[in-house]
Amino acid sequence: MSGQPGFDGLEVRALACAAGYRTLFAGLDLRVPRARWMMLVGPNGSGKSTLLRAVAGLARPVAGEILWRGAVRRADSPEWRADCLYQGHASGWKDGLEARENLVLQAALDGLDQDSARIDAQLARVGLERQAQLPFVRLSAGQRRRLSLARLALSNRPLWLLDEPGTALDVAGLQTLAALLDEHLEGGGLALVATHQPLPCAQPPLVLDLGEARS
């Protein structure tokens, strides 16, 4: 089944997801065009993380379909992997590597050029220039989240799927996150963001309350 002709974005149609025997939501529809972002809200356990993982291809829906740029998304396709950046609760960083080494490794895994000057510039942008040589295990919770912001700053993927990206960030960190998201949208990207806190973005989000989407 194809998407709406000419629609260049993310679509979810009649999606249902469950946790064990419990249905989290069913019959869920959403559409996010390019240059827009959608904020996922709802109480704990309403399925925000599950929805992000289902869109990313990391969890299997019970029913429904996910479309990207007007075609049914194939989670195993190289094109999808090249277009989608998923950032969940588990960072995936290596405790024994320095902050900078982790970012260089992640850039390689993301298929990006590991340009030294660009890596250093993004570490500085997110406020980690002094911690760049510290082992990841010695970073605070907020500094670890800032390293994830540096990954976003390096990314050139059009679709961001972010699960609570503002957790542990101070006011300055939240402003950096909002600026990165604004730049992403201005460049024609789009994002699906699960968050319990408002983000000071220039562009207001589309909002989906999963607490109201339960079957």
Side-chain angles (χ1 to χ4, degrees), residues 87 145-146 148-149 152 162-169 173-174 177 193-195 197 199:
Q87 201 156 265
R145 185 62 65 176
R146 285 173 180 266
S148 295
L149 297 187
L152 293 181
L162 309 180
D163 197 351
E164 299 293 349
T167 300
L169 289 177
L174 288 173
L177 170 59
V193 183
T195 179
Q197 57 198 134
L199 301 178

Side-chain angles (χ1 to χ4, degrees), residues 85 87 147-155 160 162 165 177 180:
L85 183 149
Q87 201 156 265
L147 190 59
S148 295
L149 297 187
R151 182 194 180 198
L152 293 181
L154 291 171
S155 173
W160 290 0
L162 309 180
L177 170 59
L180 289 171

